[in-house]
Amino acid sequence: MSINLNRFNRVNRKKIFNRIERTKKSAIPQAPKRPPLLHPQFDISALTEIFLSKLSASSSTYQSVDCLSLVPQLVLQYAEKYNTNKTLVTNLDPFLNSDEPPWDWPNALSLSTPPATGNEAIGLSYASTAIAETGSLVLSASKQNPTTVNFLTDHHIIILNEQDIVPNIESMWKRLSLSAGNMPRAINIITGPSRTADIEQTIQLGAHGPRSLHLLLLTQPSPY
Amino acid sequence: MKPGKPTSPETQSNPPIHSETSSNQALFFKAKSSEALLDDTLQQALKKAQGGFIEKRSQAIADVENFDSYKQQAQLVKNHTLDHLAYYLTQFEENVTKNGGHVHWASTPEQLNNIILHICERRDAKSVTKGKSMISEEANLNAALEAAGIDVTETDLGEYIIQLAKEPPSHIIVPAIHKTRQQVEALFRETHDLGERDLDNIAALVDEARLQLRQKFLDADVGITGANMLIADTGSAMVVTNEGNGDLTATLPKVHIVTASIEKVVPDLESASAILRVLARSATGQPITSYTSLFSGPSGIEDLDGPDEFHVILLDNQRSQMLGSPFEDMLKCIKCGACLNHCPVYSAVGGHAYGWVYPGPMGSVLTPLMTGLKQSSDLPNASTFCGRCEEVCPMGIPLPELLRQLRNKEHEDHLTSWKTRFSLKGFMWGIQHPRVFHWITKTLRMILANSVLTRLLEKHVLTSWYSSKELPKNYSKGTFMEQYQQDSKQKKSKQKKS
């Protein structure tokens, strides 16, 4: 290609910055101090309750589990409830069960390894944290949690440790402790199934992503 | 403005698509709004939409303890960022690079298109999927891609519908708000190979689009999304959607390109949270949308999916000129659409009458600033100054005041019609000469007191205004001054008597 994108960018960048700096908003060498911001506060003792009520308001469902080994059976039950094909895509097995016996998957489920291709009916992921303020589950892209599982499956099941629920959006970022150079490629804050209201402002679930979202809330502290 | 250079022979063979081609339409607000008022289907669609948004927003606001304080925090963030825009843009660029992505700079929409075409050509891209991006609408990117022989598909359901209909968006968050269910069904029947499938309800229509677009997502070589915010501290683009189309666009193709304007940058994730808190509530009345996603570069060695290239293209398009100008407040806009939903003018005529990509009150300010006041001189006047837009704006942008300033500018630049200028001059002269002024008011009152003369004026002199209105009937005993003088005389004579 003969277009020199580097030079093109250099020239334009300079032009744009010249125009910005013509105003009082000049580039200062040291970091400006952002004014402190208020965060909404929530009753810490009722976090799970607040979280679950917001989660339900987003058209998601949930059930509590006290033992990880129950997960395969619950996934099957969920698949049967939706009368869907029984293909499951997940990469959680080695991750969640490193100290425990591996999950005993029922024969009725056919397992597939990520990335998701669009042919799997069910996806199973793990949320590293969740926000009580909004009822959201937070998934970071990783080998265990490939992003395609969150969006290409028809029904998405997410496991969350109860102790990972934080009060507000800001405390969620803090919990993830992110920094440039060390960012997961994608972080998805998921609040309910995919939806659209683009036709006559009527809400319809399952626009492009999952048609349903189900939470398995792990009430016993997980050893991982 | 000059197109970007140096360009390759390949890019030269694709003439840059000027945004003016679409902006010219803003000249015809009057004609188009009259048409819109007579379009029954459009009126039906607008009526359905109107109440819903207003109600949902007010419910979402009532659900939180103190929305005003949320607004304050969000405004604090934007004010601070605009004061240090150059710093945060520099920081953003550094951190995107640190994450393994690339930042590109475009002064004009044509340059943005050229950069995208360059990336697509280098990767030999045949098909592109797009998440909703108003910046790409500013640049008319779809036309540029099609001209280069690239198959481009909009994936937001509303955008997809209007792409099939070959129409521009009529709302910034619900682009197909002007389409009825029946019209969507007709479009799908025309363009999809349907066979016997039934499309007689909304669920079936959504499923049909899901089916068609799923394959497009999987086949695309390049995915282009917009960004609701750019996070300087982490070098990330934040994309807010309900459908999940933005995420599929950003995840499945081998290349992810983010198009965003320079004022979208915020200092850090804490700042972004403050804006998130007001964004969805003002837009759709949700506490948060289904998906709020942070994209921070190409996939890593461990990742099992995601693109191998990540680009952010930053567009200026007159925004740096707004900075430090009387119109700087407009840069605080987070494109929530609340001002459109609450505007009596927008609700009556819909978005297409505004002629360019941004309709409603925010569009009436932005379009003249971006495409030139001369090309859009009707827009600052497309407002009743009722003030609802300013009241519902989460960023506290004084939209009526900005429109007023544009009207002033229009007058100063001699863009108003000779009739308006002549009448204003005449009025100015009249009120500075009391005798003339009193004579005119006396004459006018006499005319208005006489029904024959009034009708003559309505039917034969002031026809364009009074063809649909009536002059006020006047049964008073005289003009204000006449009555006042008479009153004073009576009082004086009474005083003398006593």
Side-chain angles (χ1 to χ4, degrees):
Chain A
M1 283 297 301
S2 53
I3 177 176
N4 184 336
L5 203 54
N6 286 336
R7 207 191 131 195
F8 185 96
N9 277 326
R10 251 198 328 274
V11 172
N12 270 314
R13 187 187 191 283
K14 199 155 181 236
K15 277 189 200 158
I16 293 172
F17 274 81
N18 281 344
R19 284 196 292 267
I20 295 175
E21 282 160 13
R22 146 198 75 81
T23 67
K24 58 194 192 294
K25 338 269 179 189
S26 53
I28 51 167
Q30 77 276 31
K33 206 170 152 32
R34 177 175 57 63
L37 300 170
L38 300 174
H39 310 163
Q41 297 303 315
F42 296 89
D43 179 3
I44 299 290
S45 64
L47 276 192
T48 305
E49 225 170 288
I50 300 171
F51 169 72
L52 289 176
S53 86
K54 301 279 178 192
L55 179 103
S56 306
S58 73
S59 312
S60 312
T61 51
Y62 66 90
Q63 67 193 114
S64 298
V65 202
D66 52 10
C67 175
L68 268 177
S69 60
L70 295 174
V71 168
Q73 213 49 48
L74 294 176
V75 170
L76 179 63
Q77 275 171 23
Y78 195 70
E80 276 165 354
K81 180 179 152 199
Y82 279 96
N83 197 21
T84 178
N85 85 51
K86 309 277 184 300
T87 333
L88 169 77
V89 56
T90 186
N91 220 23
L92 286 185
D93 236 352
F95 171 62
L96 289 177
N97 285 325
S98 55
D99 282 351
E100 276 186 19
W103 270 333
D104 184 17
W105 290 107
N107 287 334
L109 285 170
S110 68
L111 286 176
S112 116
T113 45
T117 61
N119 298 320
E120 305 86 357
I122 308 155
L124 178 66
S125 321
Y126 178 80
S128 46
T129 172
I131 312 165
E133 178 188 0
T134 53
S136 314
L137 295 154
V138 183
L139 280 76
S140 299
S142 67
K143 194 176 159 198
Q144 287 75 32
N145 268 337
T147 314
T148 41
V149 176
N150 308 347
F151 294 96
L152 279 178
T153 51
D154 277 352
H155 304 279
H156 194 195
I157 305 176
I158 301 177
I159 303 173
L160 170 75
N161 251 321
E162 191 182 356
Q163 67 199 23
D164 288 332
I165 302 171
V166 297
N168 51 36
I169 309 175
E170 289 86 348
S171 44
M172 177 272 296
W173 298 125
K174 218 172 159 188
R175 170 71 76 98
L176 294 181
S177 74
L178 302 162
S179 66
N182 279 313
M183 299 293 290
R185 182 196 73 85
I187 295 172
N188 302 124
I189 305 174
I190 299 181
T191 318
S194 155
R195 72 192 64 207
T196 182
D198 271 348
I199 303 178
E200 295 191 350
Q201 284 63 61
T202 307
I203 289 174
Q204 193 65 46
L205 298 183
H208 291 298
R211 299 168 189 275
S212 80
L213 184 71
H214 188 64
L215 166 71
L216 299 178
L217 186 67
L218 207 57
T219 47
Q220 288 284 316
S222 146
Y224 318 104
Chain B
M1 287 217 179
K2 275 183 222 160
K5 55 178 186 171
T7 43
S8 66
E10 287 94 324
T11 37
Q12 273 167 354
S13 67
N14 308 315
I17 309 297
H18 283 270
S19 55
E20 278 103 80
T21 47
S22 47
S23 72
N24 274 344
Q25 300 296 313
L27 267 177
F28 308 116
F29 181 81
K30 273 186 198 159
K32 285 186 148 192
S33 51
S34 310
E35 268 170 43
L37 288 168
L38 297 172
D39 183 339
D40 286 339
T41 325
L42 175 68
Q43 290 302 323
Q44 199 188 323
L46 286 172
K47 204 173 271 174
K48 260 187 196 154
Q50 204 179 0
F53 278 119
I54 294 174
E55 210 172 285
K56 279 183 200 156
R57 175 187 167 275
S58 67
Q59 186 58 50
I61 285 168
D63 282 348
V64 294
E65 227 165 87
N66 192 350
F67 191 68
D68 280 340
S69 137
Y70 288 6
K71 276 165 70 170
Q72 270 173 18
Q73 305 303 304
Q75 291 171 25
L76 222 60
V77 167
K78 272 283 177 187
N79 290 340
H80 169 79
T81 316
L82 290 178
D83 280 346
H84 304 282
L85 188 60
Y87 175 83
Y88 287 119
L89 283 172
T90 312
Q91 195 194 8
F92 175 74
E93 185 184 33
E94 269 172 28
N95 286 330
V96 171
T97 315
K98 218 187 245 181
N99 291 335
H102 306 273
V103 173
H104 309 274
W105 301 85
S107 282
T108 64
E110 295 81 52
Q111 290 175 349
L112 176 114
N113 289 348
N114 284 340
I115 296 169
I116 293 178
L117 286 174
H118 174 82
I119 297 170
C120 287
E121 277 177 44
R122 191 168 45 70
R123 291 295 298 249
D124 198 19
K126 301 274 183 298
S127 70
V128 168
T129 47
K130 277 181 69 204
K132 211 164 108 48
S133 155
M134 292 310 292
I135 298 307
S136 75
E137 295 286 348
E138 274 181 37
N140 209 351
L141 172 65
N142 290 6
L145 286 170
E146 277 161 15
I150 297 169
D151 177 50
V152 52
T153 310
E154 293 284 353
T155 61
D156 172 82
L157 178 55
E159 287 279 347
Y160 177 65
I161 292 167
I162 59 166
Q163 190 190 17
L164 291 182
K166 298 191 173 62
E167 286 173 18
S170 71
H171 191 292
I172 57 173
I173 61 162
V174 264
I177 197 170
H178 59 287
K179 290 271 180 236
T180 60
R181 196 178 70 196
Q182 289 76 16
Q183 285 177 309
V184 177
E185 183 185 341
L187 267 176
F188 284 2
R189 289 209 178 281
E190 211 176 286
T191 48
H192 296 175
D193 185 16
L194 278 169
E196 291 299 300
R197 266 171 286 168
D198 239 358
L199 290 182
D200 61 352
N201 58 59
I202 292 175
L205 289 169
V206 173
D207 268 347
E208 171 62 22
R210 179 187 172 103
L211 186 76
Q212 298 286 337
L213 288 171
R214 185 51 77 86
Q215 202 52 48
K216 296 280 185 186
F217 281 124
L218 293 165
D219 294 344
D221 303 307
V222 172
I224 301 172
T225 66
N228 295 80
M229 281 177 260
L230 304 168
I231 321 293
D233 183 44
T234 59
S236 322
M238 186 178 270
V239 179
V240 168
T241 75
N242 268 315
E243 299 181 2
N245 64 312
D247 293 275
L248 287 167
T249 306
T251 301
L252 293 173
K254 286 290 143 215
V255 182
H256 178 201
I257 303 175
V258 176
T259 54
S261 46
I262 53 171
E263 89 286 5
K264 284 275 176 278
V265 73
V266 295
D268 46 32
L269 290 164
E270 193 185 341
S271 311
S273 314
I275 292 175
L276 274 183
R277 223 165 250 129
V278 297
L279 176 58
R281 287 189 173 91
S282 303
T284 51
Q286 292 169 284
I288 192 167
T289 54
S290 294
Y291 303 111
T292 299
S293 299
L294 202 63
F295 299 108
S296 314
S299 57
I301 314 160
E302 290 261 289
D303 282 316
L304 298 173
D305 49 27
D308 55 43
E309 265 183 55
F310 179 75
H311 300 269
V312 182
I313 309 177
L314 293 171
L315 174 67
D316 182 350
N317 199 16
Q318 306 298 324
R319 287 168 175 87
S320 56
Q321 307 283 4
M322 285 182 225
L323 200 68
S325 85
F327 299 100
E328 182 177 307
D329 278 337
M330 204 53 223
L331 294 175
K332 293 180 198 157
C333 178
I334 55 172
K335 311 284 185 302
C336 70
C339 61
L340 278 66
N341 297 337
H342 290 77
C343 177
V345 178
Y346 177 91
S347 303
V349 301
H352 284 162
Y354 291 80
W356 199 50
V357 294
Y358 298 114
M362 54 83 75
S364 297
V365 177
L366 271 181
T367 306
L369 293 176
M370 288 184 172
T371 67
L373 194 53
K374 206 176 170 183
Q375 275 81 39
S376 50
S377 54
D378 275 341
L379 296 187
N381 300 298
S383 164
T384 61
F385 281 170
C386 73
R388 254 175 131 186
C389 49
E390 182 174 359
E391 206 177 303
V392 298
C393 176
M395 304 313 286
I397 301 170
L399 287 156
E401 178 49 33
L402 296 180
L403 289 169
R404 199 173 279 124
Q405 285 186 35
L406 282 171
R407 287 189 194 180
N408 277 343
K409 206 167 174 300
E410 214 180 340
H411 191 76
E412 279 163 18
D413 295 357
H414 291 259
L415 292 171
T416 38
S417 77
W418 68 267
K419 280 185 196 166
T420 315
R421 309 185 65 77
F422 180 77
S423 323
L424 279 173
K425 274 228 169 95
F427 180 74
M428 284 291 284
W429 185 82
I431 59 170
Q432 282 166 16
H433 297 80
R435 277 163 174 250
V436 182
F437 183 77
H438 290 149
W439 181 81
I440 292 173
T441 49
K442 258 187 217 169
T443 320
L444 268 177
R445 191 198 70 81
M446 280 185 330
I447 294 173
L448 291 177
N450 182 316
S451 59
V452 180
L453 285 176
T454 306
R455 181 159 316 169
L456 213 68
L457 208 58
E458 280 172 359
K459 294 281 177 264
H460 300 286
V461 186
L462 304 168
T463 43
S464 60
W465 183 255
Y466 288 103
S467 58
S468 57
K469 299 174 190 70
E470 282 178 5
L471 276 162
K473 302 282 172 293
N474 192 315
Y475 302 113
S476 64
K477 293 189 197 101
T479 65
F480 176 81
M481 283 310 283
E482 282 172 337
Q483 293 187 56
Y484 181 77
Q485 275 163 359
Q486 213 166 0
D487 219 40
S488 318
K489 258 183 216 164
Q490 276 176 0
K491 269 185 194 161
K492 265 181 199 165
S493 61
K494 263 186 201 168
Q495 273 172 352
K496 269 180 194 170
K497 271 179 199 169
S498 66

